[in-house]
Amino acid sequence: MMELYTDDTIAAIATAPGESGIGIVRMSGKRAIELAEIIFFPADGKKTSQSPGYTMHYGWIVKQDIRSGGTARGGIIDEVLLTVMRAPRSYTREDVVEINCHGGIVAQRAVLERILEKGCRLAQPGEFTRRAFLNGRIDLSQAEAVLDIIKAKTDSALTISMEQLRGAFSREVLRIRKRLVEVLAEIEADIDFPEEGIDPARREEIAATLCSVSGRLRDIIESSSRARIFREGISAVICGKPNVGKSSLLNALLRQERSIVTPVAGTTRDTIEEIVDMRGIPVKIVDTAGIAEPRDLVEKKAVRRAREYMDAADVVILVFDASRELSAGDTALMRRLKHKKIIAVLNKTDLPRRIKVPVITARFGAPVEISARRLRNIRGLEEAIIGCVYKGNISPGASVQMSNARHIHAIMRAKNLIDGILHSLENALSLEFVAQDIKEALGYLDEILGKRFSEDLLDRIFSDFCVGK
Ligand SMILES: Nc1nc2c(ncn2[C@@H]2O[C@H](COP(=O)(O)OP(=O)(O)OP(=O)(O)O)[C@@H](O)[C@H]2O)c(=O)[nH]1
Ligand SMILES: [Mg+2]
């Protein structure tokens, strides 16, 4: 990313492109209010520059500058509601102006261009949030939570990210940080007055504190690996021979007719994916072309594609037609599948049964019996899918959770250091080393909060954002 100045005024369209009721163009920076006054003709004639913060004004974005006598009569770009937010009480802690114009790309673009023409710079992705961080309104983990909220696919993922934005995770990290700083201060005092020596009781006290810090970090790591599933979800691929009811199963899980179902084998010619909310966990379900001897190039590619999806999936759902005997195709597929987590499913159990179950059970454990057409035991299959990847009770927010890989990594490294120190203390190693390691662990915690950061890291985090956030 190019170097970002932070003292200029930026602008961007904040709403999603496309037709919509309203669209919001947003500006932030020292000149935001002054620029608004140049292009905005207020219906009540009051000066925008004198508007208090958190006020909204009705009027028009006009073609001619107001200070050169521009009025609504000289040409209107759009009819708008304009909100003034004054530093530091705004999203970025700078002066912010938000213009609610008509939705649709043309109106929003025209307003944005008018602003840019007056000397605003087009914002980079996430630059508003980046400023909120650089100006100290939120810490880095909260800035990341903003992105997670925008990207949340289920209510549970939203709850976790919202907690993070409200600072629950940051506060926990700060609490741990404070305890480490206290221990460090004690140790450094001992290093400064070595003649007094460190009494063994103190050494034990320090060890006890570090032990509880380590336990706290472990709790966070454990609850977080669960939280990550809520945010990022899992993927399940449905595979099986042609005509066993794979597409019917996808539709049953989605509770809508998404994939085409026909009695003809080889109906699905390409992979189809959809996301289903299973008890708060977003599960990407992929319907694949039935695996058999491909009849043409399209089928050949589809089968190869199905295999690639299976390799990448968290769970493979292998479907059998219970109303038919196991064929050579089924057994070949059973032999070939090497995936770690396979759920065998007997479909069409509404029909008289012909399949030999023990052969399947011997290989994959007891199959889940369903009828995709009659929507029988679909819940049971959902339980099996979730149970495959998620142990423990399913409820977000049970304890402080982090869902972000960067945070998990930093917490793990801090924990490793603390555990190392505990070992050193037992072996009566020099306190100077101990102090060094505590400082390093503090560094990892500071990285989470963004007390210590590099421009590179910020670029990486914010480049995932949309422009206008
Ligand atoms: N009786 C009964 N028929 C089913 C059931 N599930 C699917 N079928 C029927 O089986 C036929 C094939 O279903 P699909 O869902 O298209 O099967 P598929 O595995 O996706 O087939 P391909 O895409 O060709 O590989 C259709 O006629 C379905 O109506 C079921 O539970 N019971
Ligand atoms: Mg199909």
Side-chain angles (χ1 to χ4, degrees):
M1 188 186 266
M2 63 178 185
E3 191 178 335
L4 288 180
Y5 296 98
T6 49
D7 57 356
D8 55 356
T9 301
I10 52 173
I13 297 173
T15 35
E19 286 177 23
S20 60
I22 56 167
I24 300 176
V25 179
R26 157 190 249 198
M27 274 194 275
S28 177
K30 285 197 195 83
R31 295 187 60 214
I33 295 173
E34 171 203 333
L35 288 170
E37 191 169 69
I38 298 175
I39 59 167
F40 175 64
F41 184 73
D44 62 7
K46 287 192 183 141
K47 277 182 169 273
T48 307
S49 59
Q50 273 152 31
S51 310
Y54 286 98
T55 55
M56 195 177 238
H57 310 271
Y58 172 68
W60 300 270
I61 301 295
V62 293
K63 289 185 178 158
Q64 199 188 353
D65 292 0
I66 304 295
R67 54 181 172 205
S68 345
T71 64
R73 253 175 279 128
I76 292 173
I77 291 175
D78 199 8
E79 178 189 28
V80 303
L81 277 175
L82 182 140
T83 311
V84 174
M85 283 158 274
R86 289 189 180 271
R89 297 190 55 216
S90 73
Y91 185 70
T92 55
R93 275 208 172 154
E94 302 171 335
D95 283 344
V96 169
V97 171
E98 283 183 3
I99 304 175
N100 290 24
C101 47
H102 284 100
I105 198 70
V106 180
Q108 297 178 63
R109 278 251 180 86
V111 172
L112 177 66
E113 271 164 25
R114 184 79 176 96
I115 294 169
L116 296 179
E117 178 193 300
K118 288 289 121 194
C120 231
R121 171 168 65 76
L122 184 65
Q124 294 284 319
E127 202 176 349
F128 290 90
T129 310
R130 188 177 183 135
R131 285 187 173 194
F133 162 64
L134 291 173
N135 293 329
R137 193 178 71 80
I138 51 176
D139 67 39
L140 203 50
S141 91
Q142 289 172 305
E144 290 168 295
V146 171
L147 180 65
D148 293 344
I149 288 172
I150 294 173
K151 297 202 164 165
K153 292 189 187 67
T154 64
D155 290 347
S156 314
L158 182 65
T159 309
I160 292 169
S161 304
M162 205 63 211
E163 277 298 295
Q164 190 174 321
L165 177 63
R166 294 183 60 217
F169 177 53
S170 308
R171 281 192 296 276
E172 179 68 14
V173 173
L174 280 170
R175 268 193 292 272
I176 294 173
R177 191 180 180 281
K178 184 161 166 265
R179 294 178 78 181
L180 284 181
V181 169
E182 284 163 7
V183 173
L184 182 63
E186 282 188 32
I187 293 178
E188 285 187 330
D190 284 321
I191 294 172
D192 290 343
F193 301 101
E195 64 281 2
E196 287 172 22
I198 183 161
D199 94 59
R202 284 281 304 291
R203 213 176 244 272
E204 245 162 56
E205 233 172 75
I206 292 172
T209 307
L210 291 179
C211 208
S212 97
V213 165
S214 165
R216 204 45 220 124
L217 293 172
R218 188 198 55 228
D219 288 350
I220 296 180
I221 293 167
E222 279 174 5
S223 66
S224 300
S225 63
R226 269 178 270 149
R228 215 165 146 196
I229 291 179
F230 281 103
R231 196 184 62 132
E232 291 171 11
I234 57 167
S235 66
V237 170
I238 305 175
C239 68
K241 268 190 342 168
N243 214 41
V244 293
K246 298 179 296 299
S247 301
S248 306
L249 176 55
L250 172 79
N251 294 344
L253 288 166
L254 283 175
R255 288 161 185 86
Q256 71 178 53
E257 299 302 307
R258 169 68 181 82
S259 200
I260 298 173
V261 169
T262 74
V264 183
T267 301
T268 308
R269 305 259 285 182
D270 199 358
T271 43
I272 295 176
E273 21 177 310
E274 284 293 331
I275 291 180
V276 187
D277 181 344
M278 285 187 197
R279 297 210 281 152
I281 298 178
V283 181
K284 183 174 84 182
I285 307 277
V286 185
D287 177 21
T288 62
I291 294 193
E293 278 315 306
R295 290 170 299 193
D296 59 26
L297 195 60
V298 178
E299 288 193 358
K300 211 170 180 174
K301 287 205 164 158
V303 169
R304 192 186 314 146
R305 188 100 174 249
R307 292 234 171 82
E308 283 166 13
Y309 267 92
M310 282 190 290
D311 290 343
D314 294 306
V315 182
V316 169
I317 303 169
L318 177 57
V319 184
F320 296 94
D321 181 343
S323 70
R324 289 165 181 270
E325 290 190 15
L326 278 179
S327 68
D330 285 314
T331 36
L333 193 56
M334 282 169 69
R335 240 180 295 120
R336 259 202 315 256
L337 265 187
K338 298 241 155 50
H339 202 278
K340 293 184 292 293
K341 286 171 179 161
I342 299 172
I343 299 175
V345 169
L346 287 194
N347 188 32
K348 309 197 189 181
T349 54
D350 52 307
L351 301 175
R353 178 171 307 191
R354 294 237 177 74
I355 200 163
K356 290 203 179 65
V357 184
V359 186
I360 297 172
T361 310
R363 174 82 169 75
F364 305 109
V368 181
E369 305 196 7
I370 64 161
S371 166
R373 184 188 275 175
R374 307 244 177 272
L375 297 182
R376 230 185 254 162
N377 200 26
I378 302 301
R379 283 291 291 190
L381 176 57
E382 288 186 356
E383 301 285 326
I385 295 171
I386 296 300
C388 234
V389 287
Y390 190 96
K391 305 274 178 279
N393 69 332
I394 303 207
S395 79
S399 63
V400 175
Q401 295 172 328
M402 51 182 175
S403 53
N404 178 303
R406 185 180 80 83
H407 301 168
I408 295 178
H409 200 65
I411 293 278
M412 279 179 169
R413 294 174 87 162
K415 181 176 180 297
N416 285 344
L417 278 164
I418 305 282
D419 292 347
I421 297 170
L422 282 169
H423 191 71
S424 309
L425 282 173
E426 267 169 31
N427 295 307
L429 277 187
S430 144
L431 285 180
E432 261 150 45
F433 287 123
V434 172
Q436 198 52 43
D437 285 352
I438 292 185
K439 279 187 199 149
E440 207 178 315
L442 281 168
Y444 287 124
L445 299 185
D446 287 349
E447 270 176 20
I448 294 175
L449 301 169
K451 284 178 188 289
R452 192 174 88 170
F453 63 88
S454 67
E455 286 299 312
D456 268 2
L457 175 67
L458 293 195
D459 286 350
R460 232 178 307 131
I461 291 173
F462 290 106
S463 61
D464 272 352
F465 275 61
C466 30
V467 175
K469 188 66 218 179

